Amino acid sequence: MLPWFRAARVPRTRSVFAAFLLAVTLLVAPTATATAASPTAATATSRGWNDYSCKPSAAHPRPVVLVHGTFGNSVDNWLGLAPYLVNRGYCVFSLDYGQLPGVPFFHGLGPVDKSAEQLSVFVDKVLAATGAPKTDIVGHSQGGMMPNYYLKFLGGAAKVNALIGIAPSNHGTTLLGLTNLLPYFPGVEKFINDKTPALADQVVGSPFITKLTAGGDTVPGVRYTVIATKYDQVVTPYRTQYLNGPNVRNVLLQDLCPLDLSEHLAIATVSRVAFHEVNNALDPARATPTTCASVVG
């Protein structure tokens, strides 16, 4: 503890950190609620999602792989976007990754580099089933960042045409600056590192983020789109989500529709404005303007 960090101030700081933990709990709660009422994988398949008999059409020649975020899973994260894309003629697939022993439903918690290895195996499975030479990846939060490790270090660039990140943690997050409090609470940072490695990997300046961003944000041959919201309360500051490099398009949701108040979860689960922009990024040759009117599209 720093010598000028007086005891009288400790309760206040503890209260702030308690609020931080409460915020994390509240962020997870919507996912937990959704899980209780989630359709099974079979139900998702019956809607044409995760249907391994699906063959890409001439209009949409690449399968779309959806990559959930931290604390998410392959169903709950995509109850809105997956049917939206299926209804527009895409072959859509989603995976679970980053599982921890004894932790059901809430995934994306394991080491991010190991999760990227799981994504690599899943992409190979999808390409083998569909016969397509490449896929497009759409990911939320960690799911928008983790695939970049696959592209840069695991040979994924040869198998991916486009990576579309929805509120991705591309350069890590300060979680509204609250990660700066970790040094004041001995043992908490170790607990996060040991028990939820993905959270530790996504902190600004972590060894993982340093490795991921060294040498540039992107790799040749892949198109990148980042869709961010200025109301993001998880990946902060929101501009750290943006990528630098060729073939990159960084989009702020409120530039498309100032009335869209979506935060970190809503931008990927319910925002039809964001969904429309995902569709544009998947099929730029047929893109149409994304506006507030896209909510009825």
Side-chain angles (χ1 to χ4, degrees):
M1 183 177 294
L2 297 175
W4 59 83
F5 192 179
R6 303 190 178 193
R9 298 181 61 187
V10 171
R12 178 181 176 185
T13 306
R14 284 179 177 162
S15 296
V16 173
F17 195 72
F20 161 62
L21 295 177
L22 177 61
V24 172
T25 302
L26 292 175
L27 288 174
V28 177
T31 303
T33 301
T35 300
S38 295
T40 63
T43 304
T45 301
S46 70
R47 297 176 179 176
W49 165 22
N50 277 334
D51 177 2
Y52 284 88
S53 68
C54 185
K55 299 299 179 184
S57 64
H60 300 303
R62 291 175 299 276
V64 177
V65 172
L66 303 178
V67 187
H68 65 74
T70 309
F71 294 114
N73 61 62
S74 62
V75 175
D76 293 332
N77 217 136
W78 306 119
L79 291 174
L81 183 58
Y84 179 94
L85 294 176
V86 168
N87 291 340
R88 283 155 180 79
Y90 294 93
C91 292
V92 179
F93 302 86
S94 62
L95 78 156
D96 287 307
Y97 71 87
Q99 301 93 331
L100 292 181
V103 181
F105 306 120
F106 304 113
H107 304 317
L109 296 172
V112 180
D113 57 347
K114 299 302 180 184
S115 294
E117 293 176 6
Q118 292 179 273
L119 174 63
S120 178
V121 172
F122 188 79
V123 168
D124 286 348
K125 177 182 177 181
V126 168
L127 294 180
T130 60
K134 289 188 176 185
T135 187
D136 291 324
I137 295 178
V138 179
H140 173 227
S141 194
Q142 180 191 165
M145 172 274 291
M146 176 269 280
N148 213 9
Y149 189 94
Y150 165 56
L151 299 180
K152 295 183 77 170
F153 302 110
L154 301 178
K159 302 173 184 179
V160 176
N161 169 70
L163 171 58
I164 302 162
I166 306 173
S169 52
N170 283 324
H171 297 98
T173 177
T174 68
L175 199 61
L176 293 175
L178 290 174
T179 54
N180 295 329
L181 294 175
L182 289 175
Y184 298 116
F185 296 87
V188 173
E189 188 166 8
K190 184 178 186 302
F191 177 85
I192 292 174
N193 285 329
D194 293 346
K195 302 300 183 182
T196 54
L199 296 181
D201 283 346
Q202 292 177 85
V203 172
V204 168
S206 72
F208 176 84
I209 291 295
T210 300
K211 177 180 179 179
L212 179 65
T213 56
D217 289 345
T218 64
V219 295
V222 179
R223 290 189 297 104
Y224 296 83
T225 301
V226 173
I227 306 172
T229 171
K230 67 181 181 181
Y231 300 113
D232 200 311
Q233 78 284 43
V234 175
V235 181
T236 57
Y238 75 83
R239 286 187 175 85
T240 62
Q241 299 172 24
Y242 293 160
L243 294 172
N244 296 304
N247 296 322
V248 171
R249 182 167 184 260
N250 294 311
V251 180
L252 183 63
L253 190 65
Q254 285 72 35
D255 287 342
L256 304 174
C257 175
L259 301 178
D260 194 319
L261 304 181
S262 296
E263 39 64 69
H264 187 75
L265 288 177
I267 190 176
T269 55
V270 298
S271 174
R272 303 277 290 195
V273 176
F275 293 0
H276 188 275
E277 193 61 16
V278 168
N279 188 42
N280 280 347
L282 291 171
D283 192 3
R286 298 178 179 85
T288 57
T290 303
T291 68
C292 294
S294 299
V295 297
V296 296

